[in-house]
Amino acid sequence: MISTDGYNNIDQYGGDENYMEQEEEWEREGLLDPAWEKQQKKTFTAWCNSHLRKAGTGIDNIEEDFRNGLKLMLLLEVISGETLPKPDRGKMRFHKIANVNKALDYIASKGVKLVSIGAEEIVDGNLKMTLGMIWTIILRFAIQDISVEEMTAKEGLLLWCQRKTAPYKNVNVQNFHLSFKDGLAFCALIHRHRPDLIDYNKLSKDNPLENLNTAFDVAEKYLDIPRMLDPDDLQNTAMPDERAVMTYVSSYYHRFSGAQKAETAANRICKVLKVNQENERLMEEYERLASDLLEWIRRTMPWLASRQTDNSLAGVQKKLEEYRTYRRKHKPPRVEQKAKLETNFNTLQTKLRLSNRPAYMPTEGKMVSDIANAWKGLEHAEKSFEEWLLSEMMRLERLEHLAQKFKHKADAHEDWTGGKEEMLQSQDFRHCRLNELKALKKKHEAFESDLAAHQDRVEQIAAIAQELNTLEYHDSVTVNARCQRVCDQWDRLGALTQRRRQALDDAERILEKIDILHLEFAKRAAPFNNWLDGTREDLVDIFIVHTVEEIQGLIDAHHHFKATLGEADKEYQSIVGLVKEVESIVKQHQVPGGLENPYTTLTAHDLTRKWGEVRQLVPQRDATLQAELRKQQNNEMLRRQFAEKANAVGPWIERQLDAVTAIGMGLHGTLEDQLHRLKEYEQGVYAYKPHIEELEKIHQAVQESMIFENRYTQYTMETLRVGWEQLLTSINRNINEVENQILTRDSKGITQEQLNEFRSSFNHFDKNRTGRLTPEEFKSCLVSLGYSIGKDRQGDIDFQRILAVVDPNSTGYVHFDAFLDFMTRESTDTDTAEQVIDSFRILAADKPYILPDELRRELPPDQAEYCIQRMPPFKGPNGVPGALDYMSFSTALYGESDL
């Protein structure tokens, strides 16, 4: 008798502790189906033949063909791969017993206890004993090694069947008695592994014999699994024999075990390829975003560097509006693009580290540092451009003011000089009487006084023209031409005045009588007239101020001027009194032509008219000054509005930056807590954006009001813009870093306590809270965490090797992401090139190359085509057409990228 006491328990492999006693008990209780022995005989015979055919032989009758022990020993050698002792070749009974004993001894040597069984029963052809022995061999060599989730062989084989057939309708595998009777379970196992062999949807539970025959025929024809069961036996038996079904099902398991390995290998390859494809996509996106951003900066820089204008105030104002449009509409999307670029780059590097790939190096000129430098240059160009625009506006505003002043003074001068040359060239004195001649001389003296008084005006006109030339006024040609005409005329007037004076002096000997009153009027009227002209010019003079204090000074000066009007009125009354006195004398003495003043063209009516104009201009000047005062007060209000808002926004931005920096240093709870707080800060920042937009509106009003300084705040719109952009960038960068740390923590399997320990040590040595360590600080940090670094030359070499890993670009600093990756890398399990090569080798059936059809059969379509397009042709010996080199391809996956 054969026993399986050498195993853990009677159900471990589906066997029984005492084969004969168990069957005798079933027979007494009426549980033993007579058909079982028939089923076992057919199944065990087919199973034995499936192995014996490898040795070129087989059996026909299981109880007869094993009696001499030769084929029994051969069966054990085939299924074990080992060599048994040399059999006895004699045909006597004791030779047969000896051979069977050699087989039984070998079975016992494999851990199977043989109890109450002798070789004699086998030699005598005892069918029950022979079937029990074969079942023991099947248990030991076909079922024992089946293990799923650490279950026993029988339970493991049952669980394997349940998992593989779970998706199929009308299949519910619960045991090896009834669950396989309708054939659908066998068909499902085949379809699960080879869907090309069976169309499962066409099968019906109502056709069990057809199902069984289909499964057995396909298994025998395409899977090399011989028929071990009879469909009619399964259908006609109330409860088919469990051992027969288990034996046949175990053949399916062993046939598909290779497919299981291939499936596992394919899954690993797909995982690696998906990582590579995602990394390549991120690289391509980074290259595209970087190229686009750098190209935009390249196109923008010449515009910001241009200093070309039409030299007019309107032209500069148009450029300023274009710059405001650029800051409001064109630049903000690029700020977001730059932040996204940095975020994608950090995410890519983290994924490369986690997947054991080398760090990504962008193409030349597209490093993150290159983009940062280009961006810094752009911001510098913006600041310089805006400063230039504002200075140009101030310069051109002054030019416009000077040009208006030049025109006003030139108009007044040309009005005064009108007819003067003709008068000086006149020969009227040659026909005058003595008193008329004396009058002409006095008149000329008055004109000389008037001419001298106008010298300052001419000099002012020339000085203004010179200043317009120095400041490169856009219409300097017209100004210079007019200035030249004024100066040329002034020189002619001077020369003509000298000649006429000489002529009058020559005639003075003849004409001496002079009208004292007319002379007195002329002498006093001319300066007063000049004063009136100057006063009128001052009262309509164009002025430009920038502060309340400046306009207040003009108002105070105007009040002081008005205080002198009383004395001027007295002078006016006195001068008009001279005319009245002349009129009185002429009327009294009837002097011919006495009312005509030979010394001046001025009349009392002229003075009265101009004096009236002055008195009208005084209140107009009051109104103009008050309007300017209101304008400057409004400017002061704008300054205060901007300062009040800026003094609130500026510190708010600084506080947010400090808070975000503190969170980024890992000082606030777990990574999830940090990420949550950063998201809250991000929402708060975007919610705060209306304050920035309101400030931009105030700033635009400030610029449109030509306000160039503000003593109420240290903040400028430019500093607040930069601070705002830095805050957005800092939040995005810190969110990205925390997400990468979570990715690192979860993928590396480190605990929150470990992460806190790493962060605490890092922060301790990051004294300045910069988020990075110098090499010396990094070494001290490693030592504090228990990392042993010797102080000898070998220790320096080891540390430089570590430094090259955490700072591959030799920046001189170690960031927390690289520090965390280093502290966890050596204890993690990552896929390697060797693992991928082993997986491909399984798919290639141990060949050194793989064929495209094999890749398409084992991998999803997109993954298979990805490999076929990138795998180089196999160049080794024994290759076939179309063979691909999976080894060099796997190695390249962990090398430098083509991008």
Side-chain angles (χ1 to χ4, degrees):
M1 181 186 278
I2 299 174
S3 171
T4 56
D5 288 344
Y7 302 110
N8 296 331
N9 55 63
I10 61 172
D11 292 325
Q12 185 175 7
Y13 308 110
D16 308 307
E17 185 176 4
N18 191 309
Y19 181 82
M20 295 295 292
E21 292 179 358
Q22 182 68 64
E23 291 210 348
E24 290 173 357
E25 181 181 347
W26 286 346
E27 189 172 8
R28 285 195 303 272
E29 295 176 1
L31 298 177
L32 182 62
D33 190 332
W36 286 6
E37 186 174 281
K38 176 184 177 183
Q39 292 174 11
Q40 287 184 21
K41 182 176 179 180
K42 288 181 180 179
T43 301
F44 292 176
T45 299
W47 183 86
C48 291
N49 283 332
S50 69
H51 293 285
L52 288 172
R53 66 180 177 178
K54 298 175 185 177
T57 185
I59 61 173
D60 297 320
N61 191 322
I62 196 167
E63 68 267 30
E64 292 295 330
D65 293 347
F66 285 137
R67 292 179 63 181
N68 61 6
L70 294 177
K71 288 189 177 181
L72 180 60
M73 293 178 68
L74 181 60
L75 173 66
L76 291 173
E77 287 184 343
V78 170
I79 61 178
S80 69
E82 299 178 8
T83 302
L84 272 67
K86 187 176 181 180
D88 293 351
R89 290 299 177 180
K91 296 183 180 181
M92 303 298 292
R93 177 178 173 82
F94 70 89
H95 291 126
K96 297 178 181 179
I97 293 175
N99 289 336
V100 173
N101 274 325
K102 290 176 182 180
L104 296 178
D105 289 343
Y106 177 79
I107 295 172
S109 71
K110 295 302 180 181
V112 180
K113 286 182 68 174
L114 302 177
V115 179
S116 303
I117 186 172
E120 291 80 1
E121 288 87 350
I122 305 301
V123 172
D124 292 338
N126 187 316
L127 178 59
K128 286 187 178 182
M129 197 64 66
T130 301
L131 291 176
M133 178 188 66
I134 296 302
W135 173 241
T136 302
I137 293 173
I138 293 172
L139 287 175
R140 174 59 183 84
F141 294 101
I143 299 179
Q144 175 181 345
D145 294 333
I146 297 175
S147 177
V148 179
E149 294 187 356
E150 300 182 358
M151 291 186 172
T152 62
K154 176 181 177 181
E155 293 168 341
L157 184 60
L158 188 64
L159 179 60
W160 178 80
C161 294
Q162 290 170 342
R163 285 185 174 179
K164 293 299 180 180
T165 60
Y168 294 88
K169 63 180 181 179
N170 298 326
V171 177
N172 182 16
V173 177
Q174 296 296 326
N175 53 58
F176 292 107
H177 287 296
L178 303 176
S179 299
F180 289 85
K181 282 192 67 172
D182 59 9
L184 289 178
F186 291 116
C187 292
L189 286 175
I190 295 174
H191 184 270
R192 180 63 180 268
H193 296 89
R194 291 292 303 275
D196 56 311
L197 299 180
I198 289 180
D199 187 351
Y200 186 84
N201 292 327
K202 292 184 177 180
L203 302 178
S204 172
K205 192 175 181 66
D206 298 330
N207 300 317
L209 285 177
E210 182 180 341
N211 298 338
L212 289 167
N213 280 309
T214 297
F216 296 167
D217 290 343
V218 169
E220 187 171 34
K221 181 177 180 181
Y222 296 103
L223 303 178
D224 198 28
I225 300 175
R227 279 178 174 257
M228 298 183 188
L229 298 174
D230 188 305
D232 292 328
D233 291 344
L234 290 176
Q235 281 300 299
N236 296 331
T237 305
M239 183 178 291
D241 180 58
E242 180 183 56
R243 297 175 186 140
V245 176
M246 280 183 65
T247 301
Y248 185 53
V249 171
S250 69
S251 298
Y252 280 73
Y253 176 87
H254 290 295
R255 177 60 183 87
F256 293 130
S257 62
Q260 191 75 16
K261 292 179 182 178
E263 182 180 347
T264 301
N267 289 337
R268 176 180 288 274
I269 292 170
C270 288
K271 175 185 174 184
V272 172
L273 295 180
K274 285 181 180 178
V275 170
N276 246 51
Q277 288 173 312
E278 175 64 14
N279 291 342
E280 289 180 3
R281 185 190 66 78
L282 288 175
M283 292 176 192
E284 291 170 357
E285 183 176 6
Y286 176 85
E287 292 285 332
R288 179 181 59 77
L289 289 176
S291 298
D292 181 61
L293 182 59
L294 290 173
E295 175 62 19
W296 176 79
I297 293 174
R298 185 191 66 76
R299 294 196 309 269
T300 304
M301 289 296 285
W303 175 67
L304 293 174
S306 173
R307 298 294 185 266
Q308 298 295 324
T309 68
D310 58 2
N311 213 21
S312 68
L313 186 60
V316 175
Q317 286 174 334
K318 181 180 179 182
K319 271 190 171 292
L320 182 60
E321 186 57 36
E322 290 174 353
Y323 178 69
R324 288 172 181 155
T325 301
Y326 158 79
R327 286 307 304 252
R328 287 195 307 267
K329 296 182 179 179
H330 301 303
K331 188 182 179 186
R334 298 298 177 172
V335 173
E336 296 177 5
Q337 182 178 0
K338 176 175 176 288
K340 181 179 180 182
L341 195 64
E342 295 173 353
T343 298
N344 287 1
F345 182 81
N346 293 334
T347 300
L348 173 60
Q349 298 293 39
T350 299
K351 288 187 175 182
L352 289 173
R353 288 197 307 271
L354 296 179
S355 59
N356 201 26
R357 269 64 165 184
Y360 165 56
M361 294 296 291
T363 54
E364 185 176 357
K366 297 178 184 176
M367 297 285 291
V368 173
S369 59
D370 296 328
I371 295 171
N373 290 335
W375 191 264
K376 185 176 180 182
L378 177 71
E379 291 179 335
H380 178 74
E382 289 175 351
K383 185 175 183 296
S384 176
F385 186 63
E386 187 173 23
E387 290 174 351
W388 171 74
L389 284 174
L390 296 178
S391 66
E392 274 295 286
M393 289 187 67
M394 294 179 67
R395 182 180 74 82
L396 293 173
E397 184 187 31
R398 175 164 176 75
L399 278 177
E400 291 293 331
H401 168 66
L402 288 174
Q404 290 296 325
K405 192 170 186 178
F406 173 84
K407 181 179 182 302
H408 180 72
K409 288 188 176 293
D411 288 345
H413 176 74
E414 289 174 350
D415 288 343
W416 177 82
T417 59
K420 293 293 190 295
E421 290 189 64
E422 292 79 4
M423 182 270 290
L424 291 173
Q425 292 173 339
S426 173
Q427 299 297 315
D428 56 348
F429 63 88
R430 296 187 183 279
H431 306 288
C432 289
R433 293 169 295 179
L434 180 60
N435 62 326
E436 293 173 341
L437 181 60
K438 289 183 178 181
L440 285 177
K441 186 177 179 182
K442 295 300 182 183
K443 179 180 179 181
H444 188 69
E445 289 176 355
F447 173 75
E448 286 181 324
S449 297
D450 198 6
L451 187 67
H454 277 77
Q455 179 68 34
D456 288 342
R457 178 179 292 166
V458 175
E459 291 175 354
Q460 288 176 7
I461 290 172
I464 293 173
Q466 180 60 39
E467 187 171 2
L468 286 171
N469 276 290
T470 301
L471 296 177
E472 300 178 355
Y473 181 58
H474 68 93
D475 198 15
S476 295
V477 175
T478 302
V479 170
N480 291 337
R482 190 171 188 185
C483 181
Q484 189 63 46
R485 289 198 301 271
V486 169
C487 292
D488 291 345
Q489 186 188 42
W490 183 255
D491 292 341
R492 290 196 303 273
L493 287 176
L496 291 173
T497 299
Q498 291 298 326
R499 287 199 297 270
R500 184 173 177 82
R501 181 179 179 79
Q502 185 63 44
L504 289 174
D505 286 341
D506 292 341
E508 187 177 12
R509 293 186 303 272
I510 302 171
L511 304 174
E512 294 180 350
K513 191 173 182 179
I514 183 172
D515 189 337
I516 296 176
L517 289 175
H518 280 330
L519 179 61
E520 180 69 15
F521 174 82
K523 286 183 178 180
R524 295 177 63 182
F528 188 69
N529 180 65
N530 284 335
W531 179 83
L532 287 174
D533 289 342
T535 298
R536 285 191 302 167
E537 290 182 10
D538 290 342
L539 289 174
V540 298
D541 186 25
I542 301 172
F543 57 85
I544 178 170
V545 295
H546 294 96
T547 65
V548 174
E549 290 77 8
E550 290 179 0
I551 188 61
Q552 191 62 52
L554 292 179
I555 292 174
D556 294 342
H558 185 61
H559 286 319
H560 180 71
F561 161 74
K562 289 194 294 184
T564 66
L565 290 179
E567 291 297 325
D569 186 62
K570 290 179 180 179
E571 178 67 10
Y572 165 73
Q573 296 297 336
S574 176
I575 294 173
V576 171
L578 290 174
V579 175
K580 291 179 179 180
E581 187 176 353
V582 169
E583 291 174 348
S584 176
I585 294 173
V586 170
K587 183 177 181 181
Q588 182 180 356
H589 299 286
Q590 297 295 314
V591 178
L595 293 178
E596 296 182 3
N597 192 326
Y599 304 109
T600 181
T601 59
L602 289 173
T603 65
H605 175 72
D606 293 334
L607 296 179
T608 300
R609 176 178 59 79
K610 291 184 179 181
W611 177 246
E613 290 178 359
V614 168
R615 294 177 69 86
Q616 288 179 352
L617 289 173
V618 168
Q620 293 178 9
R621 185 70 168 183
D622 281 331
T624 301
L625 291 173
Q626 289 301 319
E628 183 63 27
L629 177 61
R630 288 191 295 274
K631 175 184 175 183
Q632 292 303 324
Q633 287 173 339
N634 181 66
N635 290 353
E636 191 72 2
M637 180 188 69
L638 285 175
R639 288 189 184 95
R640 292 180 183 274
Q641 283 182 351
F642 180 84
E644 180 181 1
K645 194 69 178 176
N647 289 338
V649 171
W652 185 87
I653 291 176
E654 293 165 0
R655 290 195 302 272
Q656 303 307 302
L657 277 170
D658 292 340
V660 170
T661 301
I663 295 174
M665 297 300 295
L667 304 177
H668 299 276
T670 65
L671 290 177
E672 284 73 12
D673 295 336
Q674 296 170 31
L675 184 60
H676 177 70
R677 294 197 63 181
L678 286 172
K679 297 281 188 182
E680 288 181 342
Y681 274 103
E682 183 180 37
Q683 294 175 359
V685 167
Y686 283 114
Y688 198 77
K689 190 174 183 180
H691 295 279
I692 300 296
E693 294 172 346
E694 181 183 354
L695 199 56
E696 285 283 7
K697 292 179 181 178
I698 299 175
H699 178 64
Q700 181 171 345
V702 166
Q703 287 193 331
E704 290 173 350
S705 299
M706 306 300 289
I707 301 172
F708 301 108
E709 76 289 328
N710 193 337
R711 63 179 179 274
Y712 299 112
T713 181
Q714 62 177 344
Y715 297 102
T716 66
M717 196 64 234
E718 179 61 28
T719 60
L720 294 175
R721 288 172 185 151
V722 172
W724 178 257
E725 292 171 1
Q726 287 177 346
L727 178 58
L728 289 175
T729 302
S730 178
I731 290 176
N732 287 329
R733 184 177 63 252
N734 278 283
I735 287 176
N736 178 248
E737 289 178 355
V738 172
E739 288 175 341
N740 287 340
Q741 289 173 25
I742 291 174
L743 184 62
T744 301
R745 181 198 65 189
D746 295 342
S747 63
K748 300 291 186 179
I750 62 174
T751 65
Q752 185 63 45
E753 290 73 17
Q754 289 176 305
L755 186 63
N756 291 341
E757 181 183 5
F758 295 154
R759 171 56 82 178
S760 176
S761 183
F762 186 91
N763 288 348
H764 175 76
F765 292 96
D766 182 16
K767 304 295 185 184
N768 298 326
R769 295 296 184 262
T770 60
R772 60 189 188 184
L773 302 179
T774 64
E776 287 303 317
E777 291 171 340
F778 174 58
K779 180 187 287 186
S780 301
C781 184
L782 289 179
V783 173
S784 73
L785 288 168
Y787 203 97
S788 177
I789 300 177
K791 296 184 178 181
D792 54 3
R793 182 172 178 273
Q794 184 59 43
D796 291 337
I797 293 174
D798 292 342
F799 180 69
Q800 291 302 320
R801 176 183 57 78
I802 295 172
L803 203 59
V805 172
V806 296
D807 183 21
N809 296 326
S810 300
T811 62
Y813 295 100
V814 178
H815 293 267
F816 182 71
D817 285 348
F819 168 75
L820 177 62
D821 183 61
F822 171 77
M823 293 304 298
T824 59
R825 181 183 301 168
E826 296 183 359
S827 62
T828 59
D829 180 22
T830 58
D831 57 88
T832 64
E834 290 75 14
Q835 291 175 328
V836 176
I837 289 173
D838 288 342
S839 298
F840 274 119
R841 184 179 289 114
I842 291 173
L843 300 188
D846 290 330
K847 298 191 301 292
Y849 58 83
I850 194 166
L851 298 175
D853 289 343
E854 292 174 328
L855 289 170
R856 292 190 177 100
R857 184 177 68 244
E858 300 293 348
L859 300 178
D862 60 329
Q863 304 289 347
E865 295 305 320
Y866 179 86
C867 293
I868 293 170
Q869 292 174 8
R870 287 165 171 76
M871 277 189 185
F874 178 74
K875 299 184 182 302
N878 302 322
V880 298
L884 301 174
D885 184 356
Y886 62 78
M887 293 186 184
S888 60
F889 170 77
S890 300
T891 304
L893 288 177
Y894 294 84
E896 294 294 335
S897 171
D898 291 338
L899 283 178

